Amino acid sequence: VDMTTALGAAPIPSPVLTASGCSAFGQELDPFIDLTAIGAVVTKSVQLRARSGRPTPRMAETPSGMLNSIGLQGPGIDGLLADDLPWLAERGARAFVSIAGTRVEDFAELAQRLRGVPGVLGLEVNISCPNVESRGEVFACDPVAASDVVAAVRAAADPAQPVYAKLSPDVTDIVSVARAVTEAGADGLSMINTLLGLVIDPDTMKPVLGGVTGGLSGPAIRPVALRCVWQVHQALPEVPILGMGGIRDGLDALQFVLAGASAVSVGTAVFNDPTAVARVHEELAAALAARGFGSLREAVGYAHR
Ligand code: RRO
């Protein structure tokens, strides 16, 4: 099965990528998988300045998924450019860099700083982190605010680097957000970020997370993510979709492809299995072959036809 796909114009040998936030900058997975064989390492969202994030505890497991309130912990763009991106480039791994900010200008400056950086395949514009200081900072919850960020990033970014907008499931109509950011210049869409949730400890009778609410990931959100991919592909069939949300095996990934995703990210599943990204690639290839597909491309959106 021909598993090649593309993010924008850039061809990649595998449609299976890491998901932002779950494998840092790839270093943690390097002992377990060949980072050059996966589609790309999607990095943890980077901001202009280094941040320590929200108070701990900031991860909580539930029977159906994981809740996090990390709060954008990270090295900042200077650290990313000095250490993490050279580390990936030296190994020949492709980086899809997630960028985040609180102002439109922050996003534009980050895109500017990443122009022409070796190994940087493209940008994932994180306008949907649920763990920000105010809901007003979740640009993806408002089509106009979301488009302003995407337009600024597209204008500032390297023309050779595709710009994907990462959308939030916490909206009433994800298709209108998808349409707005696409019209603003997004080359593709990443769906979905985590779903806003809460866990209370019955013993302490208080919220488990230091940040109170958090983003829910893992199997619990898979049908929500799949529904988002389906609705957006139905409305905007020409727009490439990087699908994510609870994918842990090849048949999960297959569902996202059939719904319209031309690539997928594996996030929470790596915590149980650090080989998950490579394993999902093999299982997806086998699942496509077993269903008579000669290539991944033939299967993208098949469930709509
Ligand atoms: O760092 C986080 O708290 C975080 C981010 Br930036 C995000 O986009 N999604 C998420 O679940 N957590």
Side-chain angles (χ1 to χ4, degrees):
V1 180
D2 176 4
M3 293 290 276
T4 55
T5 188
L7 296 168
I12 50 175
S14 168
V16 189
L17 288 64
T18 66
S20 181
C22 297
S23 312
F25 306 95
Q27 292 97 327
E28 297 166 7
L29 299 185
D30 189 47
F32 302 99
I33 63 169
D34 177 1
L35 292 175
T36 66
I38 67 173
V41 173
V42 184
T43 63
K44 168 81 182 149
S45 295
V46 67
Q47 296 193 286
L48 286 175
R49 274 163 288 284
R51 279 172 67 114
S52 50
R54 284 204 181 161
T56 55
R58 53 193 192 181
M59 304 245 273
E61 280 191 74
T62 81
S64 54
M66 208 177 67
L67 200 70
N68 86 81
S69 64
I70 303 296
L72 288 140
Q73 184 240 329
I77 187 68
D78 293 332
L80 187 83
L81 290 168
D83 301 321
D84 304 291
L85 294 179
W87 185 91
L88 287 167
E90 275 161 28
R91 279 158 187 78
R94 290 164 290 277
F96 209 62
V97 177
S98 173
I99 58 174
T102 53
R103 304 172 314 150
V104 171
E105 307 87 82
D106 299 349
F107 284 93
E109 189 176 338
L110 289 161
Q112 173 73 40
R113 298 279 309 270
L114 288 158
R115 285 178 77 115
V117 174
V120 177
L121 191 67
L123 310 179
E124 184 171 80
V125 187
N126 186 1
I127 48 176
S128 48
C129 175
N131 301 321
V132 286
E133 316 276 271
S134 81
R135 294 304 291 167
E137 290 178 23
V138 188
F139 297 95
C141 290
D142 171 39
V144 175
S147 320
D148 287 347
V149 174
V150 169
V153 170
R154 190 55 283 177
D158 191 325
Q161 293 170 342
V163 168
Y164 274 51
K166 186 149 187 184
L167 304 189
S168 170
D170 287 312
V171 293
T172 46
D173 180 15
I174 197 159
V175 172
S176 54
V177 185
R179 191 171 275 123
V181 296
T182 306
E183 282 167 8
D187 303 294
L189 302 167
S190 295
M191 292 185 287
I192 55 175
N193 208 318
T194 51
L195 186 67
L196 192 66
L198 172 70
V199 175
I200 291 178
D201 183 331
D203 294 322
T204 64
M205 300 186 286
K206 300 284 178 192
V208 170
L209 298 178
V212 184
T213 59
L216 185 65
S217 62
I221 68 166
R222 191 186 317 118
V224 176
L226 194 64
R227 179 269 297 171
C228 291
V229 171
W230 172 278
Q231 288 181 325
V232 170
H233 185 73
Q234 179 99 337
L236 305 165
E238 306 305 321
V239 179
I241 296 174
L242 173 58
M244 72 282 292
I247 296 174
R248 76 199 148 176
D249 62 27
L251 295 184
D252 293 341
L254 177 67
Q255 293 184 58
F256 280 77
V257 171
L258 296 174
S262 46
V264 296
S265 279
V266 175
T268 304
V270 303
F271 294 112
N272 279 319
D273 175 10
T275 72
V277 181
R279 177 177 52 73
V280 169
H281 173 100
E282 295 307 322
E283 291 173 355
L284 176 59
L288 290 167
R291 284 157 184 77
F293 291 109
S295 69
L296 171 86
R297 277 168 204 275
E298 292 164 35
V300 175
Y302 181 88
H304 293 265
R305 298 195 281 273

